[in-house]
Amino acid sequence: MFVLDAGPNRTLNVTMAYGPDNSSIYERRLGFPADGMLAFEMHRSRHYTVTIERASDSATVALTDDDFDCNDRLYAIWLDETRGVRDNYTSTLPRCETPTG
């Protein structure tokens, strides 16, 4: 999970919650640099929720047990140049196929 900042320096509230009860395991107010990046690496299959908040915008990405299989996945929240939360995206690199031949 990445938080990518395409804009100027800014302050963000970043929260990660874990498990079926959504227990907070990470809560920080961060001074985020221009063109900065924050990365979370999750190895344990479980429900995670990552939320990024700024003054007037927020974005949340939720991961479930189904997101933890043999594929490599990238989840990101993108912050644009106008200081807003533009979008979040997911990409998958398939690894689950069985080699043939």
Side-chain angles (χ1 to χ4, degrees):
M1 160 62 65
F2 292 95
V3 178
L4 307 168
D5 181 7
N9 295 342
R10 64 180 107 204
T11 300
L12 302 171
N13 294 321
V14 180
T15 305
M16 177 185 281
Y18 175 78
D21 60 352
N22 240 9
S23 298
S24 180
I25 59 172
Y26 182 88
E27 272 185 69
R28 298 286 186 277
R29 183 167 175 81
L30 300 173
F32 215 79
D35 297 321
M37 179 178 65
L38 175 66
F40 294 100
E41 192 169 342
M42 294 95 138
H43 295 285
R44 183 172 289 186
S45 175
R46 185 65 84 170
H47 182 270
Y48 295 91
T49 304
V50 176
T51 302
I52 306 302
E53 298 174 322
R54 59 168 284 353
S56 61
D57 296 313
S58 67
T60 299
V61 172
L63 308 176
T64 66
D65 289 336
D66 294 338
D67 292 307
F68 293 87
D69 58 16
C70 54
N71 291 314
D72 290 337
R73 288 189 171 83
L74 169 70
Y75 301 90
I77 297 174
W78 184 265
L79 306 165
D80 70 15
E81 301 83 2
T82 63
R83 299 179 179 254
V85 176
R86 188 171 76 199
D87 58 18
N88 57 61
Y89 66 88
T90 306
S91 71
T92 302
L93 179 60
R95 299 263 188 224
C96 291
E97 292 95 17
T98 304
T100 60

